Each structure stands twice: as structure tokens, then as C-alpha cells.
Amino acid sequence: MLTQSQNFYTPSCEFKITDAKCSPEGLLVYFDGVGDAQFYSWFWVRDHGIDADSLDQITLQRLTDTFSIPKDIVCNSIEFDAAQQVIDMLWPDGSKSTISAYMLASVIGLCPGRHELVPGKNRILWDKDYPLDELPSVQFDTVMADDDGLREWLKNIHIYGFSLVDGVPSTEQDTAALANRIGRVQQTIFGDMWPLSSELKDHGDTAYTTDYLEPHTDATYYHDAPGLQMFNCLEFDGKGGESIQVDAFAIAARIKRENPDAYRALTEISVPGHYIEPGVHLRAERPPFVHDSQGHLIQVSFNNYDRAPLLLSDEESNRFHYAYGLFHQHAIDQDNWLKIPLTPGKTLIFDNWRNMHGRMGYVGKRKFFGCYHSRAEFESKLRELQAAAQEPR
Ligand SMILES: [Fe+2]
């Protein structure tokens, strides 16, 4: 039995177990409303106990010695507790373990796992065929006031790939305070919080000019490219300079639909990126499209400015440059863009693993102040806020 009623793996689950049976190979579980029995091998069941002997009840770290479980282990007997929605197992060595309905249902996708960022709500992809009706936006005071406001902001970023914040005071301190609501900012060669202006000559990057910047993702040369990028407009006395946002996940979906061979090339061929200045030589490589183990696209990387030399065979080169060029065509198609004028009071934050950003050329004087957050920090904060909003741990 569970020693802790509020275990991480025992929140209420809408899929109730109606029955559980032993088979020679594993556990058969019948969920209410789901026709067929679901099968879990005995080895898997023994490895995924949630009782105090199997799992540290505070840290949730595994106590089970996975490597000493016999590969052909078979459970002696089970006891199903319909009220608690848990199944207790008795093993041949006399040990016991427990597994919950929630664990069993969530690993096969019957209910959202605790790791999901915005359960029950898919990302909304946007492009020229599916334009957004309005720009996702929250008020600075709302984000700073409480966790509900912060959650609204982070959900926007997850769902749309970006969000505006209005009413942000034009100071470095307030920008940093806003950034710190998410968590620790990500240190890079640009520092933690960084100013951005054509008047600064700290780095030789194209961002520190007034030129048009083609849509791209940042830090293709970092193994852990920042998950979020945010900048607040502190000052603007000039013309032009609209921020460009492009939903690269929407472009990827279009290429996958219209040209699967090109999509495959962009998932298979690694593209190196580099950043070089006195005392610094950063380099990393990955395919433009990176997927998780479930085949979901999780990261787009595209920055032709920072691409390092890449020599491919003739065949691979043709394959790559056709696909890379196709992606670029969609990226520079202005019908796929959102052009967002940033003036003092407005902050833009976006998912650097999903949205490309760019900038129209401008004249005049402009000062931005911004930062990066790691993808891990962003996800952690959003999961915490979602869990706290739904139920106590
Ligand atoms: Fe950039």
C-alpha cells in the first residue's frame, strides 16, 4: 500500500481500473470505457513501483535496483484496490510493490502525464493559411501580481510560440524583474541580461546593427540553444525596425505535408553553427528539425548567418540544399510573417526552439534590454504552475 496519500503518481485519473489480471508475461489491466485489456510486462511493472520501497517518497528518485530484476520475472499474485485505484504485487523473492491507475493510464496516453506542459491544449500553429486573429498579450502588472498571471504568460508562449507583454516600465531593473518571474536567465557569451543597440560594439554580431535581419533562430552554435528569448524596448526614436516572428513549426508541418522527402532531409542532415570572436569559439551541430522519442518535432534550428562549413557528398548536398532552400523560401515569405512594432512599454518573448525571429531595418536610436532562458527552466516553471493550479501535491 502507499505510505503517502498524495504521491506524485496518484492524482485522480478519469480512467478508472475496473479489473486487473495476471498473465504469464505480464499484467492485464481493464480501464473503464476502454475495450481491450492493456498489457504491461512484469519486468516493467517491477521496475515502476511507486511504493516507499521502490521510490523515494520525497524526491521521487528510483530505489528499485533495475539491474537486479530478472528479465523473466513473473509476479506471484496481485491484489487490486478499487477504491484507491492501486494494484499491489507480490514477487517471488517475497518483496512487494504497488502501481497506480494514474501511472498505468498516463504512460499509454489515456490521461495527460505530469510532464505535459499544457495538458489538453495543443500548440496553435499559424501562418498565411491560418493567421492569428490577435497577438497573444498579457499586462506586466498581471504577470508580476501572482502565479495565475505568470501562468497565462507562459501558456501563451507554449501555445503560440510567443507573447507580448504590455505596460512594461522602460528600465533595466523592471525588465530583469519580469525575466526573473520565469526563473534563472541563461548565461551566454552575451552575459545574463544584455543590452542590444546598434551603438554597442561589444560583439560583432549582425544583431548589433540597424540592418534588416532575416528570420532565424539564435545560438545554433550552442549545444543548449536558449529556449526563450525576450527583449524589452527601452527607447526608440526612429523609423522601422519592426520585429519579425515566423512560426517555424507551421513551416515544418507544411513541408512534411507537401514534401516528405525534403522534411526527411531536414531531420537527417546535421548543420553546424559557429560563433567566433577573440577569445571565443563556439560550435555545435544538429539537424534543422529535431524530434523527441515519440516523433514529435521539438526544436527547429535555422541560422544561415552562423552556419559553419559543411561538406556533403554531391547527392547529399543536392538533397540538403533543396530542402534547406525550400525551408528558407517559406521563412522569407512575408505572408507567413508577423511584423510587430516594438515601442517603449512593449516586451516580446518567444520560443527560440519554435519561432524564428528577425527585424526590419531601421533608422534612428533604439535600445533594447533582454535575456535568454533555457528550455529546461521554462518547462519546469510552466509544469509547476500547471500542477499547482490543478491540485495540491
Ligand atoms: Fe537573433
Side-chain angles (χ1 to χ4, degrees), residues 213 216 218 229 357:
L213 287 183
H216 61 277
D218 267 14
Q229 180 170 183
H357 64 286

Side-chain angles (χ1 to χ4, degrees), residues 205 207 213 216-219 229 231 303 350 352 357-358 372:
D205 197 89
L213 287 183
H216 61 277
T217 63
D218 267 14
Q229 180 170 183
F231 29 73
N303 192 322
F350 54 88
N352 186 55
H357 64 286
Y372 294 122

Side-chain angles (χ1 to χ4, degrees), residues 262-284:
Y263 190 88
R264 209 166 301 119
L266 293 169
T267 67
E268 291 175 355
I269 300 172
S270 265
V271 181
H274 65 181
Y275 182 96
I276 299 165
E277 66 179 26
V280 177
H281 186 163
L282 296 165
R283 188 183 192 281

Side-chain angles (χ1 to χ4, degrees), residues 10-257:
T10 55
S12 61
C13 174
E14 63 181 284
F15 284 93
K16 303 288 182 205
I17 298 177
T18 55
D19 198 6
K21 291 179 179 164
C22 294
S23 83
E25 292 81 23
L27 179 65
L28 294 170
V29 179
Y30 296 83
F31 289 98
D32 192 16
V34 178
D36 296 331
Q38 304 298 314
F39 173 80
Y40 306 84
S41 77
W42 288 126
F43 182 90
W44 187 90
V45 172
R46 186 68 191 96
D47 192 39
H48 285 82
I50 60 168
D51 50 283
D53 292 331
S54 303
L55 200 67
D56 186 294
Q57 300 293 288
I58 305 298
T59 66
L60 302 179
Q61 288 179 292
R62 188 184 307 284
L63 299 175
T64 300
D65 179 9
T66 303
F67 310 101
S68 68
I69 304 172
K71 297 291 180 290
D72 56 354
I73 192 169
V74 177
C75 185
N76 275 6
S77 63
I78 63 170
E79 197 173 310
F80 168 50
D81 185 326
Q84 285 212 48
Q85 287 291 300
V86 294
I87 304 169
D88 295 324
M89 263 73 55
L90 178 64
W91 300 99
D93 62 359
S95 63
K96 293 178 179 176
S97 69
T98 299
I99 201 158
S100 69
Y102 175 78
M103 164 79 93
L104 294 166
S106 63
V107 293
I108 58 171
L110 286 179
C111 60
R114 298 291 285 254
H115 63 282
E116 293 186 25
L117 295 178
V118 184
K121 179 98 176 158
N122 291 326
R123 288 182 162 116
I124 294 174
L125 306 189
W126 48 269
D127 62 8
K128 59 186 173 189
D129 291 339
Y130 298 96
L132 292 177
D133 293 335
E134 57 185 345
L135 303 183
S137 181
V138 293
Q139 287 293 319
F140 174 74
D141 289 345
T142 305
V143 174
M144 300 306 288
D146 56 33
D147 282 352
D148 285 342
L150 178 58
R151 192 162 64 97
E152 189 188 338
W153 186 33
L154 300 191
K155 278 174 68 176
N156 275 351
I157 299 167
H158 175 73
I159 292 168
Y160 302 101
F162 73 104
S163 180
L164 290 164
V165 186
D166 286 307
V168 185
S170 300
T171 71
E172 294 187 356
Q173 291 78 8
D174 286 296
T175 312
L178 180 64
N180 289 333
R181 291 287 287 145
I182 299 175
R184 285 172 292 271
V185 301
Q186 183 174 357
Q187 283 270 3
T188 65
I189 51 161
F190 303 104
D192 43 20
M193 299 294 303
W194 31 255
L196 184 62
S197 163
S198 63
E199 291 167 16
L200 293 169
K201 303 298 174 199
D202 297 357
H203 301 281
D205 197 89
T206 44
Y208 294 83
T209 67
T210 59
D211 300 341
Y212 160 71
L213 287 183
E214 202 170 89
H216 61 277
T217 63
D218 267 14
T220 49
Y221 42 79
Y222 267 99
H223 296 295
D224 54 342
L228 303 181
Q229 180 170 183
M230 145 181 161
F231 29 73
N232 184 24
C233 180
L234 301 186
E235 194 182 326
F236 185 39
D237 183 11
K239 282 205 172 81
E242 295 91 343
S243 275
I244 301 165
Q245 284 282 293
V246 188
D247 186 349
F249 276 24
I251 291 177
R254 180 184 291 272
I255 293 175
K256 190 175 191 177
R257 227 171 28 241

Side-chain angles (χ1 to χ4, degrees), residues 343-362:
T343 50
K346 264 195 195 309
T347 290
L348 172 65
I349 188 164
F350 54 88
D351 180 345
N352 186 55
W353 284 26
R354 168 177 166 183
N355 276 19
M356 289 181 282
H357 64 286
R359 178 190 69 206
M360 303 305 286
Y362 70 95

